[in-house]
Coordinates of all heavy atoms in Angstrom, one line a residue:
M25 N 84.6 122.6 61.6 CA 84.4 121.3 60.9 C 85.2 120.3 61.7 O 86.3 120.5 62.1 CB 85.0 121.5 59.4 CG 85.5 120.3 58.8 SD 86.0 120.7 57.1 CE 87.7 120.3 57.2
S26 N 84.6 119.1 61.8 CA 85.2 118.1 62.5 C 84.9 116.7 61.9 O 83.7 116.4 61.7 CB 84.6 118.1 64.0 OG 85.3 117.2 64.8
I27 N 85.9 116.0 61.7 CA 85.8 114.6 61.2 C 86.0 113.6 62.3 O 87.0 113.7 63.0 CB 86.9 114.3 60.1 CG1 86.7 115.3 58.9 CG2 86.8 112.9 59.6 CD1 85.5 115.2 58.1
I28 N 85.1 112.8 62.6 CA 85.1 111.9 63.7 C 85.5 110.5 63.1 O 85.0 110.1 62.0 CB 83.7 111.7 64.3 CG1 83.1 113.0 64.7 CG2 83.8 110.7 65.5 CD1 83.9 113.9 65.7
V29 N 86.5 109.8 63.7 CA 87.0 108.5 63.3 C 86.3 107.5 64.2 O 86.5 107.5 65.4 CB 88.5 108.4 63.3 CG1 88.9 107.1 62.9 CG2 89.1 109.5 62.5
N30 N 85.5 106.6 63.7 CA 84.8 105.6 64.4 C 85.4 104.2 64.3 O 84.6 103.2 64.3 CB 83.3 105.6 63.9 CG 82.6 106.8 64.2 OD1 82.7 107.3 65.3 ND2 81.9 107.3 63.3
V31 N 86.7 104.1 64.3 CA 87.3 102.8 64.2 C 87.0 102.0 65.5 O 86.7 100.8 65.3 CB 88.9 102.9 64.1 CG1 89.5 101.5 64.2 CG2 89.2 103.6 62.7
D32 N 86.9 102.6 66.6 CA 86.6 101.9 67.9 C 85.2 101.2 67.8 O 85.1 100.1 68.3 CB 86.7 102.8 69.1 CG 88.1 103.0 69.6 OD1 89.0 102.2 69.3 OD2 88.4 104.1 70.2
V33 N 84.3 102.0 67.2 CA 82.9 101.4 67.1 C 82.9 100.2 66.2 O 82.3 99.2 66.6 CB 82.0 102.5 66.5 CG1 80.6 102.0 66.2 CG2 81.9 103.7 67.4
M34 N 83.6 100.2 65.1 CA 83.6 99.1 64.2 C 84.4 97.9 64.8 O 84.1 96.8 64.6 CB 84.2 99.5 62.9 CG 83.4 100.4 62.1 SD 81.6 99.9 61.9 CE 81.9 98.3 61.0
L35 N 85.5 98.2 65.6 CA 86.2 97.2 66.2 C 85.3 96.4 67.2 O 85.3 95.2 67.3 CB 87.5 97.7 66.9 CG 88.6 98.1 66.1 CD1 89.7 98.8 66.9 CD2 89.3 96.8 65.5
A36 N 84.5 97.2 68.0 CA 83.6 96.6 68.9 C 82.6 95.7 68.2 O 82.3 94.6 68.7 CB 83.0 97.6 69.8
K37 N 82.0 96.2 67.2 CA 81.0 95.5 66.4 C 81.5 94.2 65.9 O 80.9 93.2 65.7 CB 80.4 96.4 65.2 CG 79.5 97.4 65.7 CD 78.9 98.2 64.5 CE 78.0 99.3 65.0 NZ 77.4 100.1 63.9
R38 N 82.8 94.2 65.5 CA 83.5 93.0 64.9 C 84.2 92.1 65.9 O 84.8 91.2 65.5 CB 84.4 93.4 63.8 CG 83.9 94.3 62.7 CD 82.8 93.5 61.9 NE 82.3 94.2 60.7 CZ 81.1 94.8 60.6 NH1 80.3 94.7 61.5 NH2 80.8 95.4 59.4
K39 N 84.1 92.6 67.2 CA 84.8 91.9 68.3 C 86.3 91.6 67.9 O 86.8 90.5 68.0 CB 84.1 90.6 68.6 CG 82.7 90.8 69.1 CD 82.0 89.5 69.4 CE 80.7 89.7 70.2 NZ 79.6 90.1 69.3
M40 N 87.0 92.7 67.6 CA 88.4 92.6 67.2 C 89.1 93.6 68.0 O 88.6 94.7 68.4 CB 88.5 93.0 65.7 CG 89.9 92.8 65.1 SD 90.0 93.3 63.4 CE 89.0 92.1 62.6
T41 N 90.3 93.3 68.3 CA 91.2 94.2 69.1 C 92.0 95.1 68.1 O 92.1 94.9 67.0 CB 92.2 93.5 70.0 OG1 93.1 92.8 69.2 CG2 91.5 92.5 70.9
S42 N 92.5 96.3 68.7 CA 93.3 97.2 68.0 C 94.5 96.5 67.4 O 95.0 96.7 66.3 CB 93.7 98.4 68.8 OG 92.6 99.1 69.1
G43 N 95.1 95.6 68.3 CA 96.3 94.9 67.9 C 96.1 94.0 66.7 O 96.9 93.9 65.8
E44 N 94.9 93.3 66.7 CA 94.6 92.4 65.6 C 94.4 93.2 64.3 O 94.9 92.8 63.2 CB 93.3 91.6 65.9 CG 93.4 90.6 67.0 CD 92.1 90.0 67.4 OE1 91.1 90.7 67.4 OE2 92.1 88.8 67.8
L45 N 93.7 94.4 64.4 CA 93.5 95.2 63.2 C 94.8 95.7 62.7 O 95.1 95.6 61.5 CB 92.5 96.3 63.5 CG 92.3 97.3 62.4 CD1 91.6 96.5 61.2 CD2 91.4 98.4 62.8
A46 N 95.7 96.2 63.6 CA 96.9 96.7 63.2 C 97.8 95.7 62.4 O 98.4 95.9 61.3 CB 97.7 97.3 64.4
E47 N 97.8 94.5 62.9 CA 98.5 93.4 62.3 C 97.9 93.0 60.9 O 98.6 92.9 59.9 CB 98.5 92.2 63.2 CG 99.4 91.1 62.7 CD 99.4 89.9 63.7 OE1 99.4 90.1 64.9 OE2 99.4 88.7 63.2
K48 N 96.6 93.0 60.8 CA 95.9 92.6 59.6 C 96.2 93.7 58.5 O 96.3 93.3 57.3 CB 94.4 92.5 59.7 CG 93.9 91.2 60.3 CD 92.4 91.1 60.3 CE 92.0 89.8 60.8 NZ 90.6 89.5 60.5
I49 N 96.3 95.0 58.9 CA 96.4 96.0 57.8 C 97.8 96.4 57.6 O 98.1 97.2 56.7 CB 95.5 97.2 58.1 CG1 95.8 97.9 59.4 CG2 94.0 96.8 58.1 CD1 95.0 99.2 59.6
G50 N 98.7 96.0 58.4 CA 100.1 96.3 58.3 C 100.6 97.6 58.7 O 101.5 98.2 58.1
I51 N 100.0 98.1 59.8 CA 100.5 99.3 60.4 C 100.8 99.1 61.9 O 100.3 98.1 62.5 CB 99.5 100.6 60.3 CG1 98.2 100.4 61.0 CG2 99.3 100.9 58.8 CD1 97.3 101.5 61.1
T52 N 101.5 100.0 62.5 CA 101.8 99.9 63.9 C 100.7 100.2 64.8 O 99.8 100.9 64.4 CB 103.0 100.7 64.3 OG1 102.6 102.1 64.2 CG2 104.3 100.5 63.5
Q53 N 100.6 99.7 66.0 CA 99.6 100.0 66.9 C 99.6 101.5 67.3 O 98.5 102.1 67.5 CB 99.7 99.2 68.2 CG 99.3 97.7 68.0 CD 99.2 96.9 69.3 OE1 99.1 97.5 70.4 NE2 99.3 95.6 69.2
A54 N 100.7 102.0 67.3 CA 100.9 103.5 67.6 C 100.2 104.3 66.5 O 99.5 105.3 66.8 CB 102.4 103.9 67.7
N55 N 100.4 103.9 65.2 CA 99.8 104.7 64.1 C 98.3 104.6 64.1 O 97.6 105.4 63.9 CB 100.4 104.3 62.8 CG 101.8 105.0 62.6 OD1 102.1 106.0 63.2 ND2 102.5 104.4 61.7
L56 N 97.9 103.3 64.5 CA 96.4 103.1 64.5 C 95.8 103.9 65.6 O 94.7 104.4 65.5 CB 96.1 101.6 64.7 CG 94.6 101.2 64.8 CD1 94.0 101.6 63.5 CD2 94.5 99.7 65.0
S57 N 96.5 104.0 66.7 CA 96.1 104.8 67.9 C 95.9 106.3 67.5 O 94.9 106.9 67.9 CB 97.0 104.6 69.1 OG 96.6 105.4 70.2
I58 N 96.9 106.8 66.8 CA 96.8 108.2 66.3 C 95.6 108.4 65.4 O 94.8 109.4 65.6 CB 98.1 108.5 65.6 CG1 99.3 108.6 66.5 CG2 97.9 109.8 64.8 CD1 100.6 108.7 65.9
L59 N 95.3 107.4 64.6 CA 94.1 107.5 63.7 C 92.9 107.4 64.6 O 91.9 108.2 64.4 CB 94.1 106.4 62.7 CG 93.0 106.3 61.7 CD1 92.9 107.6 60.9 CD2 93.1 105.1 60.8
K60 N 92.7 106.5 65.5 CA 91.6 106.3 66.4 C 91.3 107.5 67.2 O 90.1 107.8 67.4 CB 91.8 105.0 67.2 CG 91.6 103.7 66.5 CD 91.8 102.5 67.4 CE 91.9 102.7 68.9 NZ 92.1 101.5 69.7
T61 N 92.2 108.1 67.7 CA 92.0 109.3 68.6 C 91.7 110.6 67.8 O 91.4 111.6 68.4 CB 93.2 109.5 69.5 OG1 94.4 109.7 68.7 CG2 93.4 108.3 70.4
G62 N 91.8 110.5 66.5 CA 91.4 111.7 65.7 C 92.6 112.7 65.6 O 92.5 113.8 65.2
K63 N 93.8 112.3 66.0 CA 95.0 113.2 66.0 C 95.7 113.1 64.6 O 96.6 114.0 64.4 CB 96.0 112.8 67.1 CG 95.4 113.0 68.5 CD 96.4 112.6 69.5 CE 95.8 112.9 70.9 NZ 96.6 112.5 72.0
A64 N 95.3 112.2 63.8 CA 95.9 112.1 62.4 C 95.5 113.3 61.6 O 94.3 113.7 61.6 CB 95.5 110.8 61.7
K65 N 96.4 113.9 60.8 CA 96.1 115.0 59.9 C 95.6 114.5 58.6 O 94.9 115.2 57.8 CB 97.4 115.8 59.7 CG 97.9 116.5 61.0 CD 97.0 117.6 61.4 CE 97.6 118.3 62.6 NZ 96.7 119.1 63.3
A66 N 95.9 113.2 58.3 CA 95.5 112.6 57.0 C 95.4 111.1 57.1 O 96.0 110.5 58.1 CB 96.5 113.0 55.9
V67 N 94.7 110.5 56.2 CA 94.7 109.0 56.1 C 94.8 108.6 54.6 O 94.2 109.2 53.8 CB 93.5 108.4 56.8 CG1 92.2 108.9 56.1 CG2 93.6 106.9 56.8
R68 N 95.7 107.7 54.3 CA 95.9 107.3 53.0 C 94.7 106.4 52.5 O 94.2 105.6 53.4 CB 97.2 106.5 52.8 CG 98.4 107.3 53.0 CD 99.6 106.5 52.8 NE 100.8 107.4 53.0 CZ 102.0 107.0 52.8 NH1 102.3 105.8 52.5 NH2 103.0 107.9 53.0
F69 N 94.3 106.5 51.3 CA 93.2 105.7 50.8 C 93.6 104.2 50.9 O 92.7 103.4 51.2 CB 92.9 106.0 49.4 CG 92.1 107.3 49.2 CD1 92.2 108.1 48.1 CD2 91.2 107.7 50.2 CE1 91.4 109.2 47.9 CE2 90.4 108.8 50.0 CZ 90.5 109.6 48.9
S70 N 94.8 103.9 50.7 CA 95.2 102.5 50.9 C 95.0 101.9 52.3 O 94.6 100.8 52.5 CB 96.7 102.3 50.4 OG 97.5 103.1 51.2
T71 N 95.3 102.8 53.3 CA 95.1 102.4 54.7 C 93.5 102.3 55.0 O 93.1 101.4 55.6 CB 95.7 103.5 55.7 OG1 97.1 103.6 55.3 CG2 95.5 103.1 57.1
L72 N 92.8 103.3 54.5 CA 91.3 103.3 54.6 C 90.7 102.0 54.0 O 89.9 101.3 54.6 CB 90.7 104.6 54.1 CG 89.2 104.7 54.3 CD1 88.8 104.7 55.7 CD2 88.8 106.0 53.6
E73 N 91.3 101.7 52.8 CA 90.8 100.5 52.1 C 91.1 99.2 52.9 O 90.2 98.3 53.1 CB 91.4 100.4 50.7 CG 91.0 99.2 49.9 CD 91.7 99.1 48.6 OE1 92.5 100.1 48.2 OE2 91.4 98.2 47.8
A74 N 92.3 99.2 53.5 CA 92.7 98.0 54.3 C 91.8 97.9 55.5 O 91.4 96.8 55.9 CB 94.2 98.1 54.6
I75 N 91.5 99.0 56.2 CA 90.6 99.0 57.4 C 89.3 98.4 57.0 O 88.7 97.6 57.7 CB 90.6 100.4 58.0 CG1 91.9 100.8 58.6 CG2 89.5 100.5 59.0 CD1 92.0 102.2 59.1
C76 N 88.7 99.0 55.9 CA 87.4 98.6 55.4 C 87.3 97.1 55.1 O 86.4 96.4 55.4 CB 86.9 99.5 54.3 SG 86.5 101.1 54.7
K77 N 88.4 96.6 54.4 CA 88.5 95.2 54.1 C 88.6 94.3 55.3 O 87.8 93.4 55.4 CB 89.7 95.0 53.2 CG 89.8 93.5 52.7 CD 90.9 93.4 51.7 CE 91.0 92.0 51.2 NZ 92.1 91.8 50.3
A78 N 89.4 94.7 56.3 CA 89.6 93.9 57.5 C 88.3 93.9 58.4 O 88.0 92.9 59.0 CB 90.8 94.5 58.3
L79 N 87.6 95.1 58.4 CA 86.4 95.2 59.2 C 85.1 94.9 58.5 O 84.1 95.0 59.1 CB 86.4 96.6 59.9 CG 87.5 96.9 60.9 CD1 87.4 98.3 61.4 CD2 87.5 95.9 62.0
D80 N 85.2 94.6 57.2 CA 84.1 94.4 56.3 C 83.0 95.5 56.5 O 81.9 95.3 56.9 CB 83.5 93.0 56.7 CG 82.3 92.6 55.7 OD1 82.5 93.0 54.5 OD2 81.4 91.9 56.1
C81 N 83.5 96.7 56.2 CA 82.6 97.9 56.2 C 82.9 98.9 55.1 O 83.7 98.6 54.3 CB 82.8 98.6 57.6 SG 84.5 99.2 57.9
Q82 N 82.2 100.0 55.1 CA 82.4 101.0 54.2 C 83.1 102.2 54.8 O 83.1 102.4 56.0 CB 81.0 101.5 53.6 CG 80.2 100.4 52.9 CD 80.9 100.1 51.6 OE1 81.3 100.9 50.8 NE2 81.1 98.7 51.3
P83 N 83.7 103.0 53.9 CA 84.4 104.2 54.5 C 83.5 105.1 55.4 O 83.9 105.7 56.4 CB 84.9 105.0 53.3 CG 85.1 103.9 52.2 CD 84.0 102.9 52.5
G84 N 82.2 105.2 55.0 CA 81.3 106.0 55.8 C 81.1 105.4 57.2 O 80.6 106.1 58.1
D85 N 81.3 104.2 57.4 CA 81.2 103.5 58.7 C 82.4 103.9 59.6 O 82.2 103.9 60.8 CB 81.2 102.0 58.6 CG 80.0 101.4 57.8 OD1 78.9 102.1 57.9 OD2 80.2 100.4 57.1
I86 N 83.5 104.3 59.0 CA 84.7 104.7 59.7 C 84.8 106.2 59.9 O 85.2 106.7 61.0 CB 86.0 104.2 58.9 CG1 86.0 102.8 58.7 CG2 87.3 104.7 59.6 CD1 86.1 101.9 60.0
L87 N 84.5 107.0 58.9 CA 84.6 108.5 59.0 C 83.2 109.1 59.0 O 82.3 108.7 58.3 CB 85.4 109.0 57.8 CG 86.8 108.4 57.6 CD1 87.4 108.9 56.3 CD2 87.7 108.8 58.8
E88 N 83.1 110.1 59.9 CA 81.8 110.9 60.1 C 82.1 112.3 60.1 O 83.1 112.8 60.8 CB 81.2 110.3 61.3 CG 79.9 111.0 61.7 CD 79.4 110.5 63.0 OE1 79.9 109.6 63.6 OE2 78.4 111.0 63.5
Y89 N 81.3 113.1 59.5 CA 81.4 114.6 59.6 C 80.4 115.2 60.6 O 79.2 114.8 60.5 CB 81.3 115.2 58.2 CG 81.2 116.8 58.3 CD1 82.4 117.5 58.4 CD2 80.0 117.4 58.2 CE1 82.3 118.9 58.5 CE2 79.9 118.8 58.2 CZ 81.1 119.5 58.4 OH 81.0 120.9 58.4
K90 N 80.9 116.1 61.5 CA 80.0 116.8 62.4 C 80.4 118.3 62.4 O 81.6 118.5 62.5 CB 80.1 116.2 63.8 CG 79.3 114.9 64.0 CD 79.2 114.5 65.4 CE 78.5 113.2 65.5 NZ 78.4 112.8 66.9
E91 N 79.5 119.1 62.4 CA 79.8 120.6 62.5 C 80.1 121.0 63.9 O 79.7 120.4 64.8 CB 78.7 121.4 62.0 CG 78.6 121.4 60.5 CD 77.6 122.4 59.9 OE1 77.7 123.6 60.4 OE2 76.9 122.0 59.0

């Protein structure tokens, strides 16, 4: 089971940098990097909500399941 995090895809679509997103949602660039690379063990709903709000997208645009 593998959960793929597509934050980079949405950042490119919205023409936004990681630094801009991190600042908008109130997390460090290091923590955003951990999430983007798929190394995070969990993500808070509040963080996911903030990402979706900042990128004007749905959670399904950010998270993807692949076997």
Side-chain angles (χ1 to χ4, degrees):
M25 158 175 113
S26 185
I27 302 293
I28 309 301
V29 181
N30 293 316
V31 173
D32 281 337
V33 173
M34 292 307 298
L35 282 171
K37 286 182 179 180
R38 301 298 188 251
K39 295 181 172 79
M40 186 183 295
T41 67
S42 295
E44 290 171 329
L45 179 60
E47 188 176 320
K48 279 188 175 191
I49 64 175
I51 65 172
T52 66
Q53 287 188 19
N55 283 340
L56 182 58
S57 177
I58 289 168
L59 180 62
K60 285 178 13 181
T61 58
K63 294 180 181 176
K65 298 289 183 193
V67 60
R68 292 183 180 184
F69 282 150
S70 59
T71 302
L72 184 58
E73 180 181 1
I75 291 170
C76 289
K77 184 176 180 179
L79 294 175
D80 188 29
C81 65
Q82 295 294 312
D85 297 327
I86 302 293
L87 301 174
E88 178 183 355
Y89 171 76
K90 286 190 179 177
E91 285 192 44

